[in-house]
Amino acid sequence: MTQYAALFSGEEPGQPAPPAPVVRYRILLVDDEPNVLKALQRVFRQENYEIATAADGRQALDLLRTGEFQVLITDFMMPGMSGGELLKQARSMRPDMLRIMLTGHADIDAVMGAMKTGAVYKFILKPWGDDDLRITVARALEQYDCYWECRTESNF
């Protein structure tokens, strides 16, 4: 039982839980422009994230089939498979992963479509602010952790 649960149950608190292991989050970046991928990687170079990149939706889906990622950040306009289609497929493969779309094109119909299907956590317009992107990812990871903590907490 967590220390906080003892406040409501009337039971004596047990020993403090051991510290959680340090988690290295995995982020998948997808964009068909190599310079954009490099810029995105630079944004996160000082963070404790493992970064993987894909040049298109097919490559991204291959990586999602073989590995666990907590966050996916994809461009909207890409040849072959749009970011919206990638997000839909990624949602069906990894429903707990948080999905962020970058777009330089304010296509309201596409934005609303992705939001209605629940395929996207947040939209970020290009050019992005580096600090804004770091904060968005940090908040997404907090939400991811909270979701899993709530699912695994058996007393609540």
Side-chain angles (χ1 to χ4, degrees), residues 19-61:
V22 176
V23 176
R24 188 145 193 232
Y25 298 107
R26 297 189 74 214
I27 299 174
L28 177 56
L29 307 173
V30 186
D31 200 299
D32 59 310
E33 297 180 42
N35 290 337
V36 172
L37 280 178
K38 287 179 185 173
L40 287 168
Q41 286 178 291
R42 279 193 300 272
V43 169
F44 299 110
R45 73 175 174 245
Q46 293 182 349
E47 308 296 328
N48 188 29
Y49 304 143
E50 182 180 330
I51 303 292
T53 61
D56 59 37
R58 297 284 174 225
Q59 260 187 349
L61 292 174

Side-chain angles (χ1 to χ4, degrees), residues 9-154:
S9 68
E11 296 177 18
E12 289 296 317
Q15 293 294 323
V22 176
V23 176
R24 188 145 193 232
Y25 298 107
R26 297 189 74 214
I27 299 174
L28 177 56
L29 307 173
V30 186
D31 200 299
D32 59 310
E33 297 180 42
N35 290 337
V36 172
L37 280 178
K38 287 179 185 173
L40 287 168
Q41 286 178 291
R42 279 193 300 272
V43 169
F44 299 110
R45 73 175 174 245
Q46 293 182 349
E47 308 296 328
N48 188 29
Y49 304 143
E50 182 180 330
I51 303 292
T53 61
D56 59 37
R58 297 284 174 225
Q59 260 187 349
L61 292 174
D62 288 344
L63 289 169
L64 289 172
R65 282 185 197 96
T66 60
E68 188 75 27
F69 293 90
Q70 287 73 41
V71 176
L72 166 65
I73 301 174
T74 184
D75 185 23
F76 176 68
M77 294 293 288
M78 295 186 295
M81 178 187 298
S82 73
E85 181 58 34
L86 171 59
L87 291 177
K88 279 196 266 186
Q89 290 189 39
R91 180 177 181 234
S92 68
M93 293 171 67
R94 304 259 182 219
D96 302 328
M97 179 180 62
L98 291 161
R99 296 161 303 277
I100 298 170
M101 184 180 288
L102 294 173
T103 183
H105 304 78
D107 183 345
I108 300 301
D109 292 333
V111 169
M112 294 308 292
M115 290 179 79
K116 285 179 183 176
T117 63
V120 67
Y121 167 75
K122 186 158 186 178
F123 280 90
I124 297 177
L125 293 175
K126 288 181 179 179
W128 65 83
D130 290 353
D131 289 337
D132 290 338
L133 187 56
R134 276 192 288 272
I135 290 168
T136 297
V137 168
R139 286 185 175 158
L141 291 170
E142 279 181 356
Q143 183 172 331
Y144 180 88
D145 284 345
C146 183
Y147 171 78
W148 281 105
E149 185 176 312
C150 290
R151 281 188 64 169
T152 58
E153 183 65 45
S154 62

